[in-house]
Amino acid sequence: MADLVAHGLVTSKDAESLDAVAARYAVAVTPTMLGLIDRADPQDPIRAQFVPTMRELQQSPEESADPIDDAAFSPLPGLVHRYADRVLLKVVSVCPVYCRFCFRREMVGPGGEALVGENLDQALAYIRARPEIFEVILTGGDPFMLSPRRARELTQAIAAIEHVKIVRWHTRVPVVAPERVSDDFVQALCAKGVTTWVAVHANHPREFTPAAQAAITRMREVGISLVSQSVLLRGVNDRLDVLQDLMRGFVALGVKPYYLHHPDLAPGTGHFRLPIAEGQELMRGLRRTLTGLAQPTYVLDVPGGAFKAPLDPSYLQVSEGGLQLLDGTGHWHDYKG
Ligand SMILES: *Cc1c(COP(=O)(O)O)cnc(C)c1O
Ligand code: SF4
């Protein structure tokens, strides 16, 4: 908290009460993100993502420490197996920043366990024993916090499993700490026998700094396939113009927009959530105005962990005469087929 006071983002008076927030949820902001915050704007969208507020202590009954119930689908420490053909490995608990809306906010932070030693061996044995597992998804925390050496060992261990064809890393590092994405690190993500995908998490077009653009370009240059991941957040990107710039920003860098997540019911995050109907209206706006390349799928992880439900608005209605389809200007067209 002292750091945030020193950077003029929190007053020393507020710091005392915010210590209660920091005691519960980890706090960290990287120099790259600090440099983007407009100190004069209390509503700054970058500030809103990383600087803690007292609103985080307001918890509502529907919120939960494990909103998508990873625990119920976790047969081994650090491994979540919800869908038959893919498993998720939580390789580290730390992140370079701690997003105030994080759905794993009760689990992430310094002092958590990394997936190493016997736990890692067991996780790899679990994957090896199940030929239906086609894809291994690396998450955390943020798996780009690994050293190049450990990233390389992990990639190679997974690549050595015959039936695994895809290694997918989910990370916020390329935008928040782009200097970590060195040539050495990028090489460590690739191995013979698997195809590497990286899902880059960014929520606001200002996050595409020149350094972030260079980090993403380094990954593209070695042939890594890139998709995006964003969270739809009140006060950050809940405007059509911001979402347009964000999605265009991804596409311009060769990153295919993949998911726009509706915020999960993580504790103390109510101020970030907006009605799903409003999210659908924004999605209609994107469909009307942006290239097809820039369209993400709007999704909600259903509480309880059953599945990721697509929330995209419908462009189709069934009528007596057949079907009707909605165009970008709001007109319905009959389809008889
Ligand atoms: C979201 C999620 C995935 C990945 O889902 P995709 O739709 O393939 O991106 C995999 N496993 C778990 C446990 C998840 O929550
Ligand atoms: S980087 Fe990802 S895991 Fe880490 S705090 Fe942000 S949303 Fe959570």
Side-chain angles (χ1 to χ4, degrees), residues 222-271:
V222 298
I224 293 174
S225 299
L226 295 160
V227 293
S228 80
Q229 186 182 19
S230 305
V231 186
L232 180 60
L233 297 163
R234 177 69 88 215
V236 175
N237 56 18
D238 57 337
R239 283 190 356 218
L240 184 57
D241 59 335
V242 174
L243 285 176
Q244 286 170 331
D245 289 349
L246 176 64
M247 297 305 158
R248 283 192 178 126
F250 280 128
V251 172
L253 288 165
V255 181
K256 172 71 186 86
Y258 181 46
Y259 280 153
L260 178 63
H261 289 270
H262 192 75
D264 290 311
L265 291 168
T269 61
H271 53 292

mmCIF file of all heavy atoms in Angstrom, residues 222-271:
data_model
loop_
_atom_site.group_PDB
_atom_site.id
_atom_site.type_symbol
_atom_site.label_atom_id
_atom_site.label_comp_id
_atom_site.label_asym_id
_atom_site.label_seq_id
_atom_site.Cartn_x
_atom_site.Cartn_y
_atom_site.Cartn_z
ATOM 1 N N VAL A 222 7.537 -16.414 -33.895
ATOM 2 C CA VAL A 222 7.956 -17.818 -33.820
ATOM 3 C C VAL A 222 6.801 -18.752 -34.162
ATOM 4 O O VAL A 222 6.904 -19.969 -33.982
ATOM 5 C CB VAL A 222 8.565 -18.179 -32.442
ATOM 6 C CG1 VAL A 222 9.818 -17.356 -32.184
ATOM 7 C CG2 VAL A 222 7.556 -18.011 -31.316
ATOM 8 N N GLY A 223 5.687 -18.185 -34.613
ATOM 9 C CA GLY A 223 4.591 -19.028 -35.107
ATOM 10 C C GLY A 223 3.581 -19.441 -34.049
ATOM 11 O O GLY A 223 2.795 -20.365 -34.268
ATOM 12 N N ILE A 224 3.586 -18.774 -32.905
ATOM 13 C CA ILE A 224 2.583 -19.085 -31.881
ATOM 14 C C ILE A 224 1.231 -18.533 -32.336
ATOM 15 O O ILE A 224 1.141 -17.422 -32.855
ATOM 16 C CB ILE A 224 2.998 -18.472 -30.517
ATOM 17 C CG1 ILE A 224 4.262 -19.172 -29.998
ATOM 18 C CG2 ILE A 224 1.869 -18.551 -29.494
ATOM 19 C CD1 ILE A 224 4.854 -18.560 -28.737
ATOM 20 N N SER A 225 0.172 -19.335 -32.163
ATOM 21 C CA SER A 225 -1.174 -18.879 -32.496
ATOM 22 C C SER A 225 -1.744 -18.121 -31.312
ATOM 23 O O SER A 225 -1.610 -18.559 -30.166
ATOM 24 C CB SER A 225 -2.077 -20.077 -32.811
ATOM 25 O OG SER A 225 -1.550 -20.771 -33.923
ATOM 26 N N LEU A 226 -2.365 -16.981 -31.600
ATOM 27 C CA LEU A 226 -2.782 -16.087 -30.517
ATOM 28 C C LEU A 226 -4.283 -15.833 -30.544
ATOM 29 O O LEU A 226 -4.861 -15.545 -31.598
ATOM 30 C CB LEU A 226 -2.046 -14.750 -30.652
ATOM 31 C CG LEU A 226 -0.523 -14.820 -30.465
ATOM 32 C CD1 LEU A 226 0.154 -13.598 -31.072
ATOM 33 C CD2 LEU A 226 -0.173 -14.918 -28.992
ATOM 34 N N VAL A 227 -4.901 -15.936 -29.368
ATOM 35 C CA VAL A 227 -6.291 -15.544 -29.202
ATOM 36 C C VAL A 227 -6.369 -14.579 -28.023
ATOM 37 O O VAL A 227 -5.424 -14.463 -27.240
ATOM 38 C CB VAL A 227 -7.233 -16.753 -28.954
ATOM 39 C CG1 VAL A 227 -7.312 -17.628 -30.189
ATOM 40 C CG2 VAL A 227 -6.816 -17.550 -27.732
ATOM 41 N N SER A 228 -7.517 -13.903 -27.922
ATOM 42 C CA SER A 228 -7.672 -12.914 -26.857
ATOM 43 C C SER A 228 -8.613 -13.410 -25.779
ATOM 44 O O SER A 228 -9.402 -14.339 -25.987
ATOM 45 C CB SER A 228 -8.252 -11.619 -27.416
ATOM 46 O OG SER A 228 -9.661 -11.757 -27.566
ATOM 47 N N GLN A 229 -8.529 -12.745 -24.659
ATOM 48 C CA GLN A 229 -9.439 -12.982 -23.563
ATOM 49 C C GLN A 229 -9.620 -11.632 -22.872
ATOM 50 O O GLN A 229 -8.631 -10.957 -22.570
ATOM 51 C CB GLN A 229 -8.776 -13.981 -22.613
ATOM 52 C CG GLN A 229 -9.651 -14.431 -21.501
ATOM 53 C CD GLN A 229 -8.892 -15.386 -20.581
ATOM 54 O OE1 GLN A 229 -7.664 -15.435 -20.564
ATOM 55 N NE2 GLN A 229 -9.627 -16.121 -19.802
ATOM 56 N N SER A 230 -10.873 -11.226 -22.659
ATOM 57 C CA SER A 230 -11.156 -9.980 -21.950
ATOM 58 C C SER A 230 -12.313 -10.228 -21.003
ATOM 59 O O SER A 230 -13.080 -11.172 -21.183
ATOM 60 C CB SER A 230 -11.566 -8.863 -22.934
ATOM 61 O OG SER A 230 -10.589 -8.678 -23.927
ATOM 62 N N VAL A 231 -12.425 -9.368 -20.003
ATOM 63 C CA VAL A 231 -13.566 -9.418 -19.103
ATOM 64 C C VAL A 231 -14.346 -8.127 -19.313
ATOM 65 O O VAL A 231 -13.748 -7.048 -19.373
ATOM 66 C CB VAL A 231 -13.121 -9.553 -17.627
ATOM 67 C CG1 VAL A 231 -14.331 -9.761 -16.724
ATOM 68 C CG2 VAL A 231 -12.131 -10.705 -17.460
ATOM 69 N N LEU A 232 -15.648 -8.250 -19.462
ATOM 70 C CA LEU A 232 -16.508 -7.075 -19.624
ATOM 71 C C LEU A 232 -16.719 -6.462 -18.250
ATOM 72 O O LEU A 232 -17.279 -7.116 -17.359
ATOM 73 C CB LEU A 232 -17.839 -7.512 -20.246
ATOM 74 C CG LEU A 232 -18.861 -6.399 -20.493
ATOM 75 C CD1 LEU A 232 -18.315 -5.337 -21.444
ATOM 76 C CD2 LEU A 232 -20.150 -7.002 -21.061
ATOM 77 N N LEU A 233 -16.249 -5.228 -18.054
ATOM 78 C CA LEU A 233 -16.200 -4.645 -16.713
ATOM 79 C C LEU A 233 -16.810 -3.254 -16.673
ATOM 80 O O LEU A 233 -16.408 -2.367 -17.458
ATOM 81 C CB LEU A 233 -14.735 -4.540 -16.258
ATOM 82 C CG LEU A 233 -13.962 -5.859 -16.112
ATOM 83 C CD1 LEU A 233 -12.461 -5.589 -16.071
ATOM 84 C CD2 LEU A 233 -14.416 -6.608 -14.871
ATOM 85 N N ARG A 234 -17.750 -3.068 -15.761
ATOM 86 C CA ARG A 234 -18.305 -1.739 -15.508
ATOM 87 C C ARG A 234 -17.167 -0.774 -15.165
ATOM 88 O O ARG A 234 -16.300 -1.104 -14.361
ATOM 89 C CB ARG A 234 -19.294 -1.846 -14.322
ATOM 90 C CG ARG A 234 -19.896 -0.552 -13.903
ATOM 91 C CD ARG A 234 -20.863 0.000 -14.936
ATOM 92 N NE ARG A 234 -22.231 -0.468 -14.774
ATOM 93 C CZ ARG A 234 -23.062 -0.702 -15.787
ATOM 94 N NH1 ARG A 234 -22.664 -0.554 -17.050
ATOM 95 N NH2 ARG A 234 -24.298 -1.084 -15.564
ATOM 96 N N GLY A 235 -17.157 0.369 -15.825
ATOM 97 C CA GLY A 235 -16.145 1.377 -15.502
ATOM 98 C C GLY A 235 -14.789 1.146 -16.162
ATOM 99 O O GLY A 235 -13.868 1.936 -15.973
ATOM 100 N N VAL A 236 -14.670 0.064 -16.943
ATOM 101 C CA VAL A 236 -13.402 -0.195 -17.632
ATOM 102 C C VAL A 236 -13.628 -0.238 -19.150
ATOM 103 O O VAL A 236 -12.981 0.490 -19.907
ATOM 104 C CB VAL A 236 -12.749 -1.513 -17.155
ATOM 105 C CG1 VAL A 236 -11.491 -1.830 -17.964
ATOM 106 C CG2 VAL A 236 -12.414 -1.433 -15.666
ATOM 107 N N ASN A 237 -14.550 -1.088 -19.571
ATOM 108 C CA ASN A 237 -14.749 -1.285 -21.015
ATOM 109 C C ASN A 237 -16.228 -1.493 -21.357
ATOM 110 O O ASN A 237 -16.534 -2.161 -22.346
ATOM 111 C CB ASN A 237 -13.893 -2.454 -21.517
ATOM 112 C CG ASN A 237 -14.192 -3.734 -20.751
ATOM 113 O OD1 ASN A 237 -15.228 -3.847 -20.093
ATOM 114 N ND2 ASN A 237 -13.300 -4.705 -20.833
ATOM 115 N N ASP A 238 -17.124 -0.911 -20.570
ATOM 116 C CA ASP A 238 -18.558 -1.120 -20.794
ATOM 117 C C ASP A 238 -19.132 -0.082 -21.748
ATOM 118 O O ASP A 238 -20.250 0.385 -21.571
ATOM 119 C CB ASP A 238 -19.318 -1.122 -19.454
ATOM 120 C CG ASP A 238 -19.125 0.153 -18.646
ATOM 121 O OD1 ASP A 238 -18.105 0.850 -18.870
ATOM 122 O OD2 ASP A 238 -19.971 0.461 -17.796
ATOM 123 N N ARG A 239 -18.338 0.287 -22.765
ATOM 124 C CA ARG A 239 -18.796 1.247 -23.781
ATOM 125 C C ARG A 239 -18.437 0.704 -25.146
ATOM 126 O O ARG A 239 -17.357 0.136 -25.329
ATOM 127 C CB ARG A 239 -18.090 2.590 -23.587
ATOM 128 C CG ARG A 239 -18.651 3.396 -22.449
ATOM 129 C CD ARG A 239 -18.110 4.830 -22.419
ATOM 130 N NE ARG A 239 -17.103 5.133 -23.421
ATOM 131 C CZ ARG A 239 -16.045 5.917 -23.188
ATOM 132 N NH1 ARG A 239 -15.836 6.435 -21.994
ATOM 133 N NH2 ARG A 239 -15.192 6.165 -24.146
ATOM 134 N N LEU A 240 -19.332 0.932 -26.112
ATOM 135 C CA LEU A 240 -19.091 0.380 -27.440
ATOM 136 C C LEU A 240 -17.770 0.868 -28.039
ATOM 137 O O LEU A 240 -17.002 0.081 -28.582
ATOM 138 C CB LEU A 240 -20.273 0.707 -28.370
ATOM 139 C CG LEU A 240 -20.181 0.095 -29.763
ATOM 140 C CD1 LEU A 240 -20.036 -1.419 -29.712
ATOM 141 C CD2 LEU A 240 -21.384 0.491 -30.610
ATOM 142 N N ASP A 241 -17.474 2.168 -27.908
ATOM 143 C CA ASP A 241 -16.251 2.675 -28.548
ATOM 144 C C ASP A 241 -14.993 2.028 -27.934
ATOM 145 O O ASP A 241 -14.027 1.727 -28.646
ATOM 146 C CB ASP A 241 -16.176 4.209 -28.485
ATOM 147 C CG ASP A 241 -16.203 4.754 -27.064
ATOM 148 O OD1 ASP A 241 -16.727 4.073 -26.160
ATOM 149 O OD2 ASP A 241 -15.681 5.867 -26.842
ATOM 150 N N VAL A 242 -15.019 1.783 -26.632
ATOM 151 C CA VAL A 242 -13.857 1.174 -25.973
ATOM 152 C C VAL A 242 -13.695 -0.280 -26.428
ATOM 153 O O VAL A 242 -12.593 -0.731 -26.761
ATOM 154 C CB VAL A 242 -13.993 1.266 -24.430
ATOM 155 C CG1 VAL A 242 -12.869 0.503 -23.736
ATOM 156 C CG2 VAL A 242 -13.996 2.730 -23.990
ATOM 157 N N LEU A 243 -14.814 -1.001 -26.479
ATOM 158 C CA LEU A 243 -14.742 -2.403 -26.924
ATOM 159 C C LEU A 243 -14.315 -2.493 -28.391
ATOM 160 O O LEU A 243 -13.563 -3.397 -28.770
ATOM 161 C CB LEU A 243 -16.098 -3.091 -26.743
ATOM 162 C CG LEU A 243 -16.476 -3.470 -25.303
ATOM 163 C CD1 LEU A 243 -17.886 -4.057 -25.276
ATOM 164 C CD2 LEU A 243 -15.488 -4.453 -24.694
ATOM 165 N N GLN A 244 -14.788 -1.562 -29.198
ATOM 166 C CA GLN A 244 -14.364 -1.555 -30.615
ATOM 167 C C GLN A 244 -12.848 -1.400 -30.710
ATOM 168 O O GLN A 244 -12.173 -2.156 -31.418
ATOM 169 C CB GLN A 244 -15.028 -0.380 -31.355
ATOM 170 C CG GLN A 244 -16.497 -0.581 -31.645
ATOM 171 C CD GLN A 244 -17.149 0.703 -32.145
ATOM 172 O OE1 GLN A 244 -16.726 1.806 -31.799
ATOM 173 N NE2 GLN A 244 -18.194 0.559 -32.947
ATOM 174 N N ASP A 245 -12.308 -0.421 -29.984
ATOM 175 C CA ASP A 245 -10.861 -0.187 -30.040
ATOM 176 C C ASP A 245 -10.088 -1.372 -29.477
ATOM 177 O O ASP A 245 -9.007 -1.705 -29.967
ATOM 178 C CB ASP A 245 -10.497 1.084 -29.263
ATOM 179 C CG ASP A 245 -10.952 2.347 -29.980
ATOM 180 O OD1 ASP A 245 -11.357 2.243 -31.159
ATOM 181 O OD2 ASP A 245 -10.921 3.432 -29.363
ATOM 182 N N LEU A 246 -10.635 -1.989 -28.436
ATOM 183 C CA LEU A 246 -9.970 -3.146 -27.828
ATOM 184 C C LEU A 246 -9.909 -4.302 -28.832
ATOM 185 O O LEU A 246 -8.838 -4.876 -29.071
ATOM 186 C CB LEU A 246 -10.739 -3.559 -26.566
ATOM 187 C CG LEU A 246 -10.252 -4.813 -25.834
ATOM 188 C CD1 LEU A 246 -8.838 -4.621 -25.280
ATOM 189 C CD2 LEU A 246 -11.221 -5.182 -24.693
ATOM 190 N N MET A 247 -11.041 -4.630 -29.443
ATOM 191 C CA MET A 247 -11.075 -5.770 -30.361
ATOM 192 C C MET A 247 -10.263 -5.478 -31.626
ATOM 193 O O MET A 247 -9.566 -6.343 -32.148
ATOM 194 C CB MET A 247 -12.520 -6.146 -30.714
ATOM 195 C CG MET A 247 -13.339 -6.599 -29.506
ATOM 196 S SD MET A 247 -12.557 -7.973 -28.602
ATOM 197 C CE MET A 247 -13.337 -7.816 -26.995
ATOM 198 N N ARG A 248 -10.344 -4.240 -32.109
ATOM 199 C CA ARG A 248 -9.519 -3.882 -33.271
ATOM 200 C C ARG A 248 -8.047 -3.940 -32.918
ATOM 201 O O ARG A 248 -7.206 -4.344 -33.735
ATOM 202 C CB ARG A 248 -9.855 -2.464 -33.748
ATOM 203 C CG ARG A 248 -11.135 -2.392 -34.539
ATOM 204 C CD ARG A 248 -11.238 -1.029 -35.234
ATOM 205 N NE ARG A 248 -12.449 -0.962 -36.033
ATOM 206 C CZ ARG A 248 -13.357 -0.013 -35.931
ATOM 207 N NH1 ARG A 248 -13.206 0.977 -35.054
ATOM 208 N NH2 ARG A 248 -14.421 -0.032 -36.700
ATOM 209 N N GLY A 249 -7.728 -3.539 -31.682
ATOM 210 C CA GLY A 249 -6.333 -3.592 -31.220
ATOM 211 C C GLY A 249 -5.799 -5.016 -31.287
ATOM 212 O O GLY A 249 -4.688 -5.256 -31.773
ATOM 213 N N PHE A 250 -6.596 -5.964 -30.828
ATOM 214 C CA PHE A 250 -6.180 -7.370 -30.893
ATOM 215 C C PHE A 250 -5.964 -7.793 -32.343
ATOM 216 O O PHE A 250 -4.922 -8.354 -32.697
ATOM 217 C CB PHE A 250 -7.245 -8.271 -30.268
ATOM 218 C CG PHE A 250 -7.235 -8.351 -28.752
ATOM 219 C CD1 PHE A 250 -8.395 -8.120 -28.021
ATOM 220 C CD2 PHE A 250 -6.088 -8.709 -28.058
ATOM 221 C CE1 PHE A 250 -8.409 -8.231 -26.633
ATOM 222 C CE2 PHE A 250 -6.088 -8.825 -26.661
ATOM 223 C CZ PHE A 250 -7.264 -8.578 -25.954
ATOM 224 N N VAL A 251 -6.978 -7.540 -33.177
ATOM 225 C CA VAL A 251 -6.914 -8.019 -34.564
ATOM 226 C C VAL A 251 -5.704 -7.421 -35.280
ATOM 227 O O VAL A 251 -5.001 -8.112 -36.014
ATOM 228 C CB VAL A 251 -8.222 -7.680 -35.327
ATOM 229 C CG1 VAL A 251 -8.072 -8.010 -36.812
ATOM 230 C CG2 VAL A 251 -9.384 -8.463 -34.735
ATOM 231 N N ALA A 252 -5.449 -6.136 -35.021
ATOM 232 C CA ALA A 252 -4.322 -5.479 -35.687
ATOM 233 C C ALA A 252 -2.994 -6.142 -35.321
ATOM 234 O O ALA A 252 -2.039 -6.095 -36.085
ATOM 235 C CB ALA A 252 -4.298 -3.990 -35.318
ATOM 236 N N LEU A 253 -2.958 -6.768 -34.130
ATOM 237 C CA LEU A 253 -1.726 -7.441 -33.701
ATOM 238 C C LEU A 253 -1.718 -8.920 -34.066
ATOM 239 O O LEU A 253 -0.818 -9.657 -33.675
ATOM 240 C CB LEU A 253 -1.574 -7.295 -32.177
ATOM 241 C CG LEU A 253 -1.205 -5.893 -31.713
ATOM 242 C CD1 LEU A 253 -1.431 -5.740 -30.214
ATOM 243 C CD2 LEU A 253 0.260 -5.613 -32.059
ATOM 244 N N GLY A 254 -2.739 -9.371 -34.788
ATOM 245 C CA GLY A 254 -2.781 -10.776 -35.181
ATOM 246 C C GLY A 254 -3.317 -11.670 -34.077
ATOM 247 O O GLY A 254 -3.051 -12.876 -34.069
ATOM 248 N N VAL A 255 -4.039 -11.084 -33.130
ATOM 249 C CA VAL A 255 -4.623 -11.851 -32.026
ATOM 250 C C VAL A 255 -6.126 -11.972 -32.291
ATOM 251 O O VAL A 255 -6.831 -10.969 -32.343
ATOM 252 C CB VAL A 255 -4.400 -11.137 -30.671
ATOM 253 C CG1 VAL A 255 -4.990 -11.950 -29.521
ATOM 254 C CG2 VAL A 255 -2.918 -10.858 -30.436
ATOM 255 N N LYS A 256 -6.606 -13.190 -32.486
ATOM 256 C CA LYS A 256 -8.022 -13.383 -32.814
ATOM 257 C C LYS A 256 -8.885 -13.242 -31.553
ATOM 258 O O LYS A 256 -8.700 -14.000 -30.602
ATOM 259 C CB LYS A 256 -8.201 -14.791 -33.412
ATOM 260 C CG LYS A 256 -9.654 -15.216 -33.625
ATOM 261 C CD LYS A 256 -10.317 -14.457 -34.751
ATOM 262 C CE LYS A 256 -11.818 -14.778 -34.851
ATOM 263 N NZ LYS A 256 -12.649 -13.943 -33.963
ATOM 264 N N PRO A 257 -9.811 -12.275 -31.508
ATOM 265 C CA PRO A 257 -10.707 -12.187 -30.351
ATOM 266 C C PRO A 257 -11.436 -13.512 -30.116
ATOM 267 O O PRO A 257 -12.003 -14.098 -31.045
ATOM 268 C CB PRO A 257 -11.663 -11.053 -30.733
ATOM 269 C CG PRO A 257 -10.789 -10.147 -31.554
ATOM 270 C CD PRO A 257 -9.973 -11.115 -32.396
ATOM 271 N N TYR A 258 -11.355 -13.972 -28.870
ATOM 272 C CA TYR A 258 -11.853 -15.301 -28.525
ATOM 273 C C TYR A 258 -13.001 -15.167 -27.530
ATOM 274 O O TYR A 258 -14.152 -15.344 -27.887
ATOM 275 C CB TYR A 258 -10.679 -16.110 -27.956
ATOM 276 C CG TYR A 258 -10.990 -17.532 -27.549
ATOM 277 C CD1 TYR A 258 -11.716 -18.376 -28.376
ATOM 278 C CD2 TYR A 258 -10.522 -18.042 -26.337
ATOM 279 C CE1 TYR A 258 -11.976 -19.687 -27.998
ATOM 280 C CE2 TYR A 258 -10.771 -19.352 -25.959
ATOM 281 C CZ TYR A 258 -11.508 -20.173 -26.791
ATOM 282 O OH TYR A 258 -11.759 -21.467 -26.415
ATOM 283 N N TYR A 259 -12.701 -14.806 -26.285
ATOM 284 C CA TYR A 259 -13.753 -14.693 -25.285
ATOM 285 C C TYR A 259 -13.850 -13.286 -24.715
ATOM 286 O O TYR A 259 -12.836 -12.653 -24.418
ATOM 287 C CB TYR A 259 -13.499 -15.649 -24.116
ATOM 288 C CG TYR A 259 -13.903 -17.087 -24.374
ATOM 289 C CD1 TYR A 259 -13.267 -18.124 -23.699
ATOM 290 C CD2 TYR A 259 -14.912 -17.415 -25.279
ATOM 291 C CE1 TYR A 259 -13.621 -19.452 -23.905
ATOM 292 C CE2 TYR A 259 -15.263 -18.742 -25.495
ATOM 293 C CZ TYR A 259 -14.623 -19.755 -24.814
ATOM 294 O OH TYR A 259 -14.975 -21.062 -25.030
ATOM 295 N N LEU A 260 -15.084 -12.822 -24.561
ATOM 296 C CA LEU A 260 -15.397 -11.672 -23.719
ATOM 297 C C LEU A 260 -16.188 -12.261 -22.557
ATOM 298 O O LEU A 260 -17.312 -12.739 -22.745
ATOM 299 C CB LEU A 260 -16.235 -10.640 -24.496
ATOM 300 C CG LEU A 260 -16.672 -9.407 -23.697
ATOM 301 C CD1 LEU A 260 -15.473 -8.577 -23.232
ATOM 302 C CD2 LEU A 260 -17.617 -8.527 -24.528
ATOM 303 N N HIS A 261 -15.562 -12.302 -21.384
ATOM 304 C CA HIS A 261 -16.187 -12.959 -20.230
ATOM 305 C C HIS A 261 -17.115 -12.008 -19.503
ATOM 306 O O HIS A 261 -16.719 -10.879 -19.186
ATOM 307 C CB HIS A 261 -15.120 -13.408 -19.228
ATOM 308 C CG HIS A 261 -14.297 -14.555 -19.701
ATOM 309 N ND1 HIS A 261 -14.628 -15.865 -19.469
ATOM 310 C CD2 HIS A 261 -13.144 -14.593 -20.411
ATOM 311 C CE1 HIS A 261 -13.726 -16.655 -20.004
ATOM 312 N NE2 HIS A 261 -12.811 -15.909 -20.589
ATOM 313 N N HIS A 262 -18.303 -12.476 -19.187
ATOM 314 C CA HIS A 262 -19.111 -11.760 -18.207
ATOM 315 C C HIS A 262 -18.440 -12.005 -16.857
ATOM 316 O O HIS A 262 -18.001 -13.120 -16.582
ATOM 317 C CB HIS A 262 -20.553 -12.291 -18.220
ATOM 318 C CG HIS A 262 -21.484 -11.419 -17.450
ATOM 319 N ND1 HIS A 262 -21.923 -10.210 -17.930
ATOM 320 C CD2 HIS A 262 -22.022 -11.560 -16.210
ATOM 321 C CE1 HIS A 262 -22.708 -9.644 -17.022
ATOM 322 N NE2 HIS A 262 -22.780 -10.447 -15.971
ATOM 323 N N PRO A 263 -18.323 -10.978 -15.991
ATOM 324 C CA PRO A 263 -17.583 -11.185 -14.737
ATOM 325 C C PRO A 263 -18.214 -12.283 -13.875
ATOM 326 O O PRO A 263 -19.433 -12.384 -13.774
ATOM 327 C CB PRO A 263 -17.676 -9.833 -14.022
ATOM 328 C CG PRO A 263 -18.242 -8.867 -14.995
ATOM 329 C CD PRO A 263 -18.837 -9.615 -16.134
ATOM 330 N N ASP A 264 -17.346 -13.090 -13.275
ATOM 331 C CA ASP A 264 -17.824 -14.155 -12.388
ATOM 332 C C ASP A 264 -18.232 -13.571 -11.042
ATOM 333 O O ASP A 264 -17.892 -12.442 -10.708
ATOM 334 C CB ASP A 264 -16.714 -15.195 -12.190
ATOM 335 C CG ASP A 264 -16.467 -15.999 -13.456
ATOM 336 O OD1 ASP A 264 -17.454 -16.492 -14.028
ATOM 337 O OD2 ASP A 264 -15.299 -16.114 -13.877
ATOM 338 N N LEU A 265 -18.949 -14.390 -10.260
ATOM 339 C CA LEU A 265 -19.453 -13.944 -8.955
ATOM 340 C C LEU A 265 -18.366 -14.087 -7.885
ATOM 341 O O LEU A 265 -18.538 -14.782 -6.886
ATOM 342 C CB LEU A 265 -20.700 -14.749 -8.579
ATOM 343 C CG LEU A 265 -21.943 -14.469 -9.441
ATOM 344 C CD1 LEU A 265 -23.032 -15.507 -9.181
ATOM 345 C CD2 LEU A 265 -22.484 -13.063 -9.180
ATOM 346 N N ALA A 266 -17.219 -13.428 -8.121
ATOM 347 C CA ALA A 266 -16.122 -13.460 -7.144
ATOM 348 C C ALA A 266 -16.422 -12.454 -6.036
ATOM 349 O O ALA A 266 -17.051 -11.420 -6.297
ATOM 350 C CB ALA A 266 -14.803 -13.123 -7.836
ATOM 351 N N PRO A 267 -15.970 -12.733 -4.821
ATOM 352 C CA PRO A 267 -16.336 -11.883 -3.690
ATOM 353 C C PRO A 267 -15.869 -10.432 -3.837
ATOM 354 O O PRO A 267 -14.725 -10.175 -4.240
ATOM 355 C CB PRO A 267 -15.648 -12.557 -2.485
ATOM 356 C CG PRO A 267 -14.821 -13.649 -3.015
ATOM 357 C CD PRO A 267 -15.187 -13.911 -4.417
ATOM 358 N N GLY A 268 -16.743 -9.506 -3.513
ATOM 359 C CA GLY A 268 -16.372 -8.091 -3.519
ATOM 360 C C GLY A 268 -16.168 -7.504 -4.898
ATOM 361 O O GLY A 268 -15.447 -6.521 -5.061
ATOM 362 N N THR A 269 -16.811 -8.088 -5.913
ATOM 363 C CA THR A 269 -16.635 -7.579 -7.284
ATOM 364 C C THR A 269 -17.937 -7.062 -7.897
ATOM 365 O O THR A 269 -18.013 -6.846 -9.107
ATOM 366 C CB THR A 269 -16.049 -8.668 -8.217
ATOM 367 O OG1 THR A 269 -16.968 -9.779 -8.275
ATOM 368 C CG2 THR A 269 -14.704 -9.173 -7.733
ATOM 369 N N GLY A 270 -18.950 -6.853 -7.044
ATOM 370 C CA GLY A 270 -20.259 -6.424 -7.545
ATOM 371 C C GLY A 270 -20.208 -5.136 -8.354
ATOM 372 O O GLY A 270 -20.946 -4.979 -9.328
ATOM 373 N N HIS A 271 -19.296 -4.231 -7.981
ATOM 374 C CA HIS A 271 -19.227 -2.940 -8.692
ATOM 375 C C HIS A 271 -18.707 -3.086 -10.117
ATOM 376 O O HIS A 271 -18.805 -2.151 -10.908
ATOM 377 C CB HIS A 271 -18.378 -1.940 -7.898
ATOM 378 C CG HIS A 271 -17.017 -2.441 -7.514
ATOM 379 N ND1 HIS A 271 -16.805 -3.442 -6.605
ATOM 380 C CD2 HIS A 271 -15.782 -2.074 -7.937
ATOM 381 C CE1 HIS A 271 -15.506 -3.669 -6.462
ATOM 382 N NE2 HIS A 271 -14.865 -2.854 -7.277
#
